[in-house]
Amino acid sequence: MAKLKYILLLTAFLQLRSSYSQDKREFYFAIGLFTSAHSQLVTYAFITKLGDNIINAQVVRADRFMYTALGHWPNPQLNPERINLFEKYQVDSCFLLMNESGTKVVGYYDRPFWDLWKIRFYEHPFEYDLMGWSKGQYSPSVPQKNFLRKEYGINNITLDYFYGDTLFKLLRDVQDPAWVDSYKNASIDTTSGP
């Protein structure tokens, strides 16, 4: 009988602990400027944070990321209301494509994502005639790294994800020619803003 009480008490404690930690978890859309198994220049992911720590990063296909962020596909943790997050965060040039009659989704348009590789690379790693914004061949220069750290909290462009508000800020910024110029010409002085 005492053993059964102990098991029930332990089970109740673990369920309480589990539900408490579930309440503290936060879910985010994220992108990384590193290649993974899919051999693309942008890695799309859904990340889970517990406190200040990323405890899970689920790499997903670009279409799953986009359709979920656009509110077309459901995701109870990331976009439970199925709203267009690009519209909410004022990111231009990301929208669903409809058929001629406007009754069926046939794709999506995601212009800001096309240039993200330029943040990391001096020239496109597969198409050598395309130039990036980075001053380093495979990663940004030290001043550019400081720029990314200051503006987006990115310490290592080959490992860290852009996520949450900073992701949407980045997607707005890469469409701004003044931002592109500031990034390309980042100086050693990190006390002044772009």
Side-chain angles (χ1 to χ4, degrees):
M1 187 69 166
K3 197 180 228 185
L4 180 60
K5 284 182 184 178
Y6 175 74
I7 291 171
L8 290 173
L9 184 61
L10 181 61
T11 303
F13 172 74
L14 291 174
Q15 287 176 342
L16 180 63
R17 184 173 168 226
S18 174
S19 67
Y20 176 75
S21 65
Q22 287 281 3
D23 293 342
K24 300 292 181 181
R25 291 181 185 193
E26 297 175 316
F27 303 92
Y28 298 97
F29 290 88
I31 60 104
L33 300 181
F34 39 88
T35 56
S36 63
H38 59 67
S39 298
Q40 299 296 314
L41 296 178
V42 175
T43 297
Y44 298 85
F46 300 153
I47 64 169
T48 307
K49 283 187 70 177
L50 184 59
D52 291 336
N53 300 316
I54 294 176
I55 60 169
N56 185 36
Q58 178 187 9
V59 174
V60 296
R61 292 186 332 252
D63 63 342
R64 182 171 176 202
F65 179 97
M66 292 302 299
Y67 285 132
T68 304
L70 287 163
H72 183 62
W73 288 356
N75 187 303
Q77 286 95 14
L78 291 161
N79 194 355
E81 291 89 28
R82 293 179 67 169
I83 60 174
N84 182 339
L85 295 174
F86 298 111
E87 190 174 284
K88 176 183 175 181
Y89 289 101
Q90 301 172 340
V91 177
D92 294 334
S93 303
C94 287
F95 50 85
L96 292 171
L97 299 174
M98 307 298 284
N99 65 1
E100 288 181 19
S101 63
T103 58
K104 183 178 178 187
V105 173
V106 294
Y108 58 86
Y109 184 76
D110 61 344
R111 180 65 180 101
F113 290 86
W114 302 355
D115 291 333
L116 291 177
W117 67 269
K118 294 178 180 182
I119 295 169
R120 179 174 170 194
F121 295 99
Y122 174 75
E123 66 182 358
H124 195 286
F126 311 129
E127 299 174 35
Y128 303 113
D129 56 338
L130 299 176
M131 301 306 292
W133 304 324
S134 174
K135 295 294 183 192
Q137 185 69 25
Y138 301 109
S139 68
S141 66
V142 171
Q144 289 175 319
K145 288 177 185 178
N146 291 336
F147 182 98
L148 294 173
R149 184 177 302 111
K150 180 182 174 195
E151 294 296 315
Y152 307 100
I154 298 297
N155 292 312
N156 186 336
I157 193 121
T158 61
L159 298 173
D160 293 344
Y161 284 102
F162 292 88
Y163 64 91
D165 292 341
T166 59
L167 169 61
F168 293 102
K169 178 183 183 317
L170 177 71
L171 293 172
R172 285 190 309 268
D173 289 346
V174 297
Q175 297 181 85
D176 179 2
W179 181 92
V180 171
D181 191 51
S182 292
Y183 180 72
K184 286 168 75 171
N185 299 309
S187 66
I188 298 295
D189 179 15
T190 60
T191 59
S192 62

